[in-house]
Amino acid sequence: MATASGTPETNLDKSLQSHASLHRFLFFTAACFIGIVLLPLDLKELTFALFGVGTIGSLLVRARHIPRPARRPVTLIAIAGIGSVSGGIVRGVHSDISGVEFPTPSPADPLYLIAYLLFITAILLIVRLRVSRIPFDAKLDALVGTLAAGLVQSAPLSSSPTSRRIRSHRPSCGRTWCSAR
């Protein structure tokens, strides 16, 4: 491949481009983190959603440069992230429309379910890249890892005292989207 000036691209050029991409992503992450910490609640929610979308976009762009065998799990993780972020947005809008802080069931539930199934599949594909036959304990690890992520994400839906404390500090993601209309 050639550079813009017509000279052949070297490994150094690729490395410098990769470092520049990493620095841009780290700057974006730091700006979002500062926004989440310092901005008012409605803007925190929007910043959090933009961070999710930006991270997924960056992952999809970078996935094109990953060798083919590893590209599939990375792409599945990105698609699962899209489902998870979309689920958060849908749940937030549903919360604002219904007037219930954490509506259950929600139209967002299928998006979360699809995301969990894609995460399990990606974990199993990663294991499959390392071993020819996936042992039962690796399948169990994939299931436990996905369930743990699901429990962390759904903790605010519980009515336990700890969940109520988490819920009081965690943005709902809904008010921003409805007020932006």
Side-chain angles (χ1 to χ4, degrees):
M1 186 181 280
T3 62
S5 64
T7 60
E9 188 173 44
T10 65
N11 285 339
L12 178 61
D13 294 330
K14 290 179 185 178
S15 177
L16 290 174
Q17 289 173 354
S18 180
H19 283 4
S21 296
L22 177 62
H23 288 145
R24 282 191 301 272
F25 181 74
L26 290 175
F27 178 78
F28 171 72
T29 301
C32 287
F33 179 76
I34 291 168
I36 290 169
V37 170
L38 299 178
L39 293 172
L41 180 62
D42 286 346
L43 293 177
K44 285 181 184 188
E45 295 168 350
L46 181 60
T47 304
F48 186 77
L50 289 175
F51 175 71
V53 169
T55 300
I56 293 165
S58 175
L59 183 60
L60 286 171
V61 167
R62 298 294 294 166
R64 292 183 302 170
H65 304 290
I66 295 174
R68 188 168 293 279
R71 189 178 309 157
R72 186 179 303 152
V74 170
T75 304
L76 285 176
I77 289 170
I79 295 169
I82 291 168
S84 186
V85 170
S86 300
I89 293 168
V90 169
R91 185 177 294 278
V93 170
H94 183 227
S95 172
D96 283 347
I97 291 170
S98 69
V100 178
E101 189 175 2
F102 291 100
T104 303
S106 169
D109 293 342
L111 294 170
Y112 289 127
L113 178 63
I114 290 168
Y116 295 146
L117 293 174
L118 289 171
F119 279 131
I120 289 172
T121 304
I123 291 169
L124 291 175
L125 283 173
I126 291 168
V127 171
R128 180 65 188 225
L129 289 172
R130 297 186 162 273
V131 296
S132 60
R133 184 175 169 271
I134 300 176
F136 176 75
D137 63 332
K139 293 175 185 176
L140 187 60
D141 288 347
L143 181 62
V144 168
T146 303
L147 289 175
L151 287 173
V152 167
Q153 188 171 7
S154 65
L157 300 177
S158 170
S159 61
S160 72
T162 303
S163 294
R164 283 193 294 271
R165 279 194 301 270
I166 292 170
R167 197 171 35 233
S168 68
H169 297 330
R170 183 176 178 206
S172 70
C173 277
R175 290 182 294 274
T176 301
W177 298 107
C178 286
S179 64
R181 288 187 281 172

